Amino acid sequence: MSQSLPHLAVIIPAAGSGSRMAHSVPKPLIRLQGMSILERTIRKFFFPGIAEMIIPVSDAVRDEAETLCRHLDAPFPVRVIEGGAQRQDSVWNALQVLDAQSGIIVIHDAARPFFDPALIAQALPLLDRHAGVIAALPAVHTMKEVEKGIVRRTPDRSTLWQVNTPQLFRREPLLRAYREAIAAGFYGTDDAMLLERIGETVAVIQDSPFNIKITTPADLLTAERILNP
């Protein structure tokens, strides 16, 4: 990574219940070859330019997450804070405690430990022209819009992308988008949606198919294969 990266803050929401995993251990703490999913994700950000990291968590993982972060020897401050009822609430909690110098915010899923850090450097120049930049994959399957079990239409898949993280944003548009969403009681399915809602432009960079989100037991098997190709 470039040594000239600007002052970046990373937010890793890790307060989800992980109910689809059906595992005895909270999802962020599930171990892959001796290291938790959360630790693998955090360590992917150990490169120049990261100034701080904030991790909103649930009560179920707070003690373990705090212990982990104390022993990481991270090259930047890492803070574990209280998460919210929904992901958007967790990110908002983190936005309240950002360092004043953090002008660019990187939001990344705790359960995506295989992202390519080069995506960050690729995205940064685009923030000169756009409020946000998101990692995504072009759709490869035919998609159907379905209502009450009936197909309503088939969107042109050439315009459809599967949205992943990391997602990068300029600080001020992101804060404004969050404030307006909160005022309206609006919840989006990702952070970029909040900026789209207020008319800001969000650019897309193509992601790697290996950047999976570990959500189900099948994803754990895939993760093991990625670690042991």
Side-chain angles (χ1 to χ4, degrees), residues 111-213:
R112 290 190 191 271
F114 302 120
F115 82 96
D116 184 353
L119 288 169
I120 306 297
Q122 184 182 349
L124 286 173
L126 296 175
L127 289 173
D128 292 336
R129 306 190 304 277
H130 306 285
V133 182
I134 61 176
L137 289 168
V140 295
H141 301 295
T142 296
M143 307 298 291
K144 301 288 185 182
E145 185 177 307
V146 177
E147 184 180 356
K148 297 180 179 179
I150 303 297
V151 173
R152 296 305 181 191
R153 71 184 189 96
T154 303
D156 178 2
R157 74 180 182 192
S158 69
T159 67
L160 300 178
W161 289 66
Q162 172 189 302
V163 175
N164 299 340
T165 64
Q167 298 189 355
L168 287 78
F169 305 98
R170 297 201 313 269
R171 178 183 182 133
E172 291 310 315
L174 180 64
L175 287 171
R176 180 162 55 88
Y178 259 84
R179 291 189 189 106
E180 294 196 19
I182 290 168
F186 176 83
Y187 279 83
T189 52
D190 76 339
D191 299 285
M193 189 174 179
L194 305 189
L195 278 85
E196 297 160 33
R197 179 177 175 272
I198 64 169
E200 295 285 357
T201 61
V202 177
V204 171
I205 53 174
Q206 187 159 338
D207 200 3
S208 160
F210 292 105
N211 185 20
I212 65 167
K213 185 176 183 182

Side-chain angles (χ1 to χ4, degrees), residues 1-218:
M1 301 291 292
S2 168
Q3 297 289 328
S4 61
L5 289 177
H7 202 99
L8 303 177
V10 177
I11 298 174
I12 301 180
S17 65
S19 57
R20 284 175 288 179
M21 184 61 72
H23 199 285
S24 60
V25 175
K27 184 172 67 173
L29 303 180
I30 294 173
R31 301 182 80 80
L32 292 170
Q33 296 189 8
M35 187 183 297
S36 70
I37 293 172
L38 179 59
E39 182 174 356
R40 287 187 179 277
T41 300
I42 292 171
R43 288 188 179 278
K44 275 298 190 80
F45 286 97
F46 282 16
F47 53 77
I50 304 300
E52 62 175 331
M53 178 178 285
I54 304 168
I55 308 175
V57 300
S58 65
D59 289 341
V61 304
R62 181 154 193 164
D63 288 346
E64 291 86 347
E66 288 179 342
T67 299
L68 164 64
C69 292
R70 279 197 302 270
H71 294 91
L72 277 173
D73 194 26
F76 43 74
V78 180
R79 283 180 285 173
V80 176
I81 67 167
E82 182 178 356
Q86 298 191 42
R87 182 183 186 278
Q88 190 169 310
D89 300 315
S90 291
V91 174
W92 178 243
N93 289 353
L95 291 173
Q96 304 312 294
V97 297
L98 286 175
D99 186 278
Q101 300 301 312
S102 294
I104 293 176
I105 316 304
V106 183
I107 303 176
H108 186 66
D109 298 327
R112 290 190 191 271
F114 302 120
F115 82 96
D116 184 353
L119 288 169
I120 306 297
Q122 184 182 349
L124 286 173
L126 296 175
L127 289 173
D128 292 336
R129 306 190 304 277
H130 306 285
V133 182
I134 61 176
L137 289 168
V140 295
H141 301 295
T142 296
M143 307 298 291
K144 301 288 185 182
E145 185 177 307
V146 177
E147 184 180 356
K148 297 180 179 179
I150 303 297
V151 173
R152 296 305 181 191
R153 71 184 189 96
T154 303
D156 178 2
R157 74 180 182 192
S158 69
T159 67
L160 300 178
W161 289 66
Q162 172 189 302
V163 175
N164 299 340
T165 64
Q167 298 189 355
L168 287 78
F169 305 98
R170 297 201 313 269
R171 178 183 182 133
E172 291 310 315
L174 180 64
L175 287 171
R176 180 162 55 88
Y178 259 84
R179 291 189 189 106
E180 294 196 19
I182 290 168
F186 176 83
Y187 279 83
T189 52
D190 76 339
D191 299 285
M193 189 174 179
L194 305 189
L195 278 85
E196 297 160 33
R197 179 177 175 272
I198 64 169
E200 295 285 357
T201 61
V202 177
V204 171
I205 53 174
Q206 187 159 338
D207 200 3
S208 160
F210 292 105
N211 185 20
I212 65 167
K213 185 176 183 182
I214 301 174
T215 304
T216 67

